[in-house]
């Protein structure tokens, strides 16, 4: 079975469409979505609708939780709290109650098994939507924060917007990167493919080109709050600009 794991769309429906086309071309058997569907992008409604249309397994990310109940103090630096809630309120204004209910009821993790290979997938860590585990974390941190909660062969998550594949204690750990807002300097949507065939496991990070200028232009068209910063992030694929 060939499974595509996608996450961190962040309202960038143009990037999502490009990824879904790439997945179709690669003849993937199943898609799993690891959260952060709508917040901080110019097309929250269309992004949710595209994900709903997949009729597949979707879990909740921290940004989905923020859409539902707002950004709480302590979850982001105090200096940006009001602005991030303004962005959240704008996103909520673009969707309807059915979308809110959909995000609210999403589970926070999933386990899968194929040909004896076990997968554990979550947004940030198995116990938190907000913890940050970076690509250069020590093996001991990967073990304690990602692996220890449940036995599996492959662990997958999103949240940090920086894709990587590592191997720790015989386990495969994959971060999917981000479809809508990559932070690794590569202006291409990122997702992961895991293939299990005849008991053999193969993994890859896929990078998909899309017309990111159209996304940048949409921020102005829809009068998104915090437009300048978000346009810079999309243009540079980095939060350090």
């Amino acid at each position: 079975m060939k499974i595509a794991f996608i996450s961190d769309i962040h309202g960038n429906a143009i990037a999502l469409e490009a990824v879904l086309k790439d997945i179709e071309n690669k003849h993937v058997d199943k898609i799993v979505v690891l959260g952060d569907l709508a917040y901080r992008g110019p097309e929250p409604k269309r992004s949710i609708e595209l994900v709903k249309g997949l009729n597949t397994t979707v879990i909740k990310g921290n940004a989905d939780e923020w859409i539902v109940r707002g950004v709480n103090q302590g979850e982001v630096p105090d200096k940006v709290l009001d602005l991030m809630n303004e962005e959240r309120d704008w996103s909520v204004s673009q969707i309807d109650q059915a979308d809110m209910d959909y995000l609210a009821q999403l589970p926070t993790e999933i386990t899968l098994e194929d040909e004896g290979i076990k997968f554990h997938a979550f947004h940030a860590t198995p116990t938190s939507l907000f913890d940050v585990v970076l690509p250069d974390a020590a093996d001991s941190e990967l073990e304690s924060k990602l692996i220890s909660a449940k036995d599996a062969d492959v662990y997958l998550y999103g949240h940090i917007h920086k894709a990587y594949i590592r191997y720790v204690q015989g386990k495969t750990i994959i971060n999917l990167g981000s479809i809508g807002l990559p932070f690794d300097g590569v202006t291409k949507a990122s997702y992961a493919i895991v293939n299990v065939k005849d008991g053999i496991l193969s993994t890859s990070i896929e990078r998909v080109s899309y017309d990111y200028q159209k996304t940048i232009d949409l921020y102005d068209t829809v009068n998104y709050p915090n437009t300048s910063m978000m346009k810079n992030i999309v243009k540079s694929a980095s939060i350090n600009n």
Side-chain angles (χ1 to χ4, degrees):
M1 176 178 284
K2 186 184 290 187
I3 308 172
F5 290 87
I6 68 176
S7 74
D8 296 274
I9 299 156
H10 289 285
N12 189 343
I14 294 171
L16 178 57
E17 285 180 321
V19 166
L20 294 179
K21 181 63 175 178
D22 189 67
I23 287 172
E24 180 183 358
N25 291 339
K26 289 184 166 76
H27 305 292
V28 165
D29 300 300
K30 182 179 178 65
I31 301 173
V32 178
V33 186
L34 302 190
D36 281 7
L37 309 187
Y39 177 65
R40 302 209 97 174
E43 294 189 278
K45 175 70 172 176
R46 195 159 76 90
S47 297
I48 293 172
E49 289 176 344
L50 285 168
V51 171
K52 284 182 175 180
L54 298 174
N55 295 314
T56 193
T57 301
V58 183
I59 65 172
K60 183 186 291 185
N62 64 294
D64 305 312
E65 183 73 0
W66 283 340
I67 289 277
V68 172
R69 50 85 162 158
V71 185
N72 291 339
Q73 191 169 22
E75 294 174 343
V76 299
D78 286 346
K79 64 182 180 180
V80 298
L81 179 61
D82 289 343
L83 178 56
M84 290 187 69
N85 270 313
E86 184 180 349
E87 292 178 73
R88 178 263 176 184
D89 292 344
W90 180 89
S91 300
V92 169
S93 75
Q94 304 299 303
I95 63 178
D96 57 32
Q97 188 59 48
D99 296 323
M100 293 283 283
D101 294 342
Y102 172 77
L103 296 178
Q105 59 80 42
L106 292 175
T108 58
E109 61 180 336
I110 182 178
T111 56
L112 302 168
E113 185 170 348
D114 184 53
E115 292 192 31
I117 303 295
K118 297 178 181 178
F119 302 87
H120 187 200
F122 37 85
H123 181 70
T125 73
T127 58
S128 171
L129 296 176
F130 299 95
D131 281 353
V132 173
V133 181
L134 295 174
D136 59 353
D139 285 2
S140 58
E141 182 178 356
L142 298 183
E143 288 184 70
S144 63
K145 290 188 175 181
L146 304 181
I147 294 176
S148 62
K150 191 168 294 185
D151 182 55
D153 302 292
V154 184
Y155 297 83
L156 304 104
Y157 72 111
H159 191 51
I160 62 172
H161 298 212
K162 294 183 177 184
Y164 73 87
I165 301 174
R166 282 177 60 180
Y167 307 93
V168 177
Q169 297 296 324
K171 310 294 187 179
T172 301
I173 299 171
I174 304 173
N175 187 279
L176 318 184
S178 172
I179 286 181
L181 289 174
F183 291 167
D184 58 6
V186 181
T187 54
K188 296 181 179 182
S190 177
Y191 75 100
I193 288 180
V194 178
N195 192 20
V196 181
K197 185 175 181 180
D198 300 326
I200 298 173
L201 173 70
S202 60
T203 62
S204 62
I205 301 295
E206 309 292 324
R207 302 306 294 255
V208 180
S209 297
Y210 75 99
D211 190 346
Y212 61 84
Q213 187 60 50
K214 285 186 177 180
T215 298
I216 290 170
D217 292 343
L218 271 177
Y219 279 104
D220 286 323
T221 301
V222 301
N223 295 315
Y224 186 84
N226 201 18
T227 296
S228 178
M229 188 187 86
M230 296 311 302
K231 286 165 55 177
N232 285 336
I233 291 174
V234 173
K235 183 177 181 178
S236 65
S238 173
I239 54 174
N240 301 312
N241 54 69

